[in-house]
Amino acid sequence: MTLLELLLVVVLLLCFAVLGLWFNTTINSYQKLNEGVPQLVSLLRYSKAMAQQTGKVVVVQFPHAAVGDEAEATSTNEVTVVVALPSAESMVAEVNANIKVVQLSNEASTISFYPDGSFDSTTIVIYSLSDEDQRKATINLNGINGTINQQPQP
């Protein structure tokens, strides 16, 4: 094997490594929304279950989300569970690491879950924290029949 052949092999390996790293970074930036939406749905269902189990009202706050028909919201995001729930801190941290809640359709920035299984009806609009991913997702909460449904992302 000559020095030229060895140099060609090294250059090709470096090109493949750079392409692999670039594809991996692109794929990871698009996974934030795919991971964050089910995590938020899980947090909401957990809050509903804990309200029923403990007999106390559980409130989930979205302090930076726009409410009602407002179109703009700040780019920062926080999800806060007001009532102390076991293991909720890790769930909230995972949600905050992946998505930002931009808008709630009701006129409050909170969702209350009651011990009888009912909760505030609203639609939550969500974006990824990744600047490359411009998709949005919605979660519909129907407090009358007690369903929490996520709309599929395109």
Side-chain angles (χ1 to χ4, degrees):
M1 185 175 233
T2 65
L3 184 59
L4 185 61
E5 291 171 336
L6 184 61
L7 186 60
L8 182 63
V9 169
V10 169
V11 168
L12 285 174
L13 287 175
L14 283 174
C15 288
F16 287 136
V18 167
L19 282 174
L21 184 63
W22 180 73
F23 282 125
N24 187 29
T25 303
T26 304
I27 289 171
N28 284 341
S29 68
Y30 283 94
Q31 289 302 318
K32 287 188 176 286
L33 187 66
N34 294 344
E35 292 175 12
V37 172
Q39 290 169 347
L40 181 57
V41 169
S42 294
L43 176 64
L44 295 172
R45 289 181 177 153
Y46 179 72
S47 299
K48 176 185 173 185
M50 290 308 294
Q52 291 174 320
Q53 186 177 11
T54 62
K56 297 179 183 177
V57 175
V58 175
V59 179
V60 178
Q61 289 184 338
F62 303 94
H64 299 289
V67 294
D69 295 329
E70 296 177 29
E72 296 296 323
T74 60
S75 61
T76 59
N77 178 46
E78 285 185 24
V79 178
T80 309
V81 178
V82 173
V83 176
L85 297 175
S87 76
E89 294 82 18
S90 62
M91 296 171 76
V92 170
E94 288 293 321
V95 168
N96 284 334
N98 291 313
I99 59 173
K100 57 184 171 185
V101 175
V102 176
Q103 186 176 6
L104 278 80
S105 65
N106 62 358
E107 294 299 322
S109 62
T110 62
I111 300 171
S112 299
F113 294 90
Y114 301 101
D116 64 356
S118 64
F119 48 87
D120 299 334
S121 295
T122 189
T123 299
I124 305 171
V125 179
I126 303 158
Y127 287 93
S128 172
L129 283 179
S130 171
D131 293 333
E132 294 88 25
D133 190 0
Q134 298 300 315
R135 298 174 301 151
K136 71 176 183 178
T138 57
I139 299 175
N140 295 317
L141 285 83
N142 186 335
I144 295 172
N145 63 9
T147 58
I148 301 173
N149 298 317
Q150 75 183 57
Q151 300 295 324
Q153 300 93 356

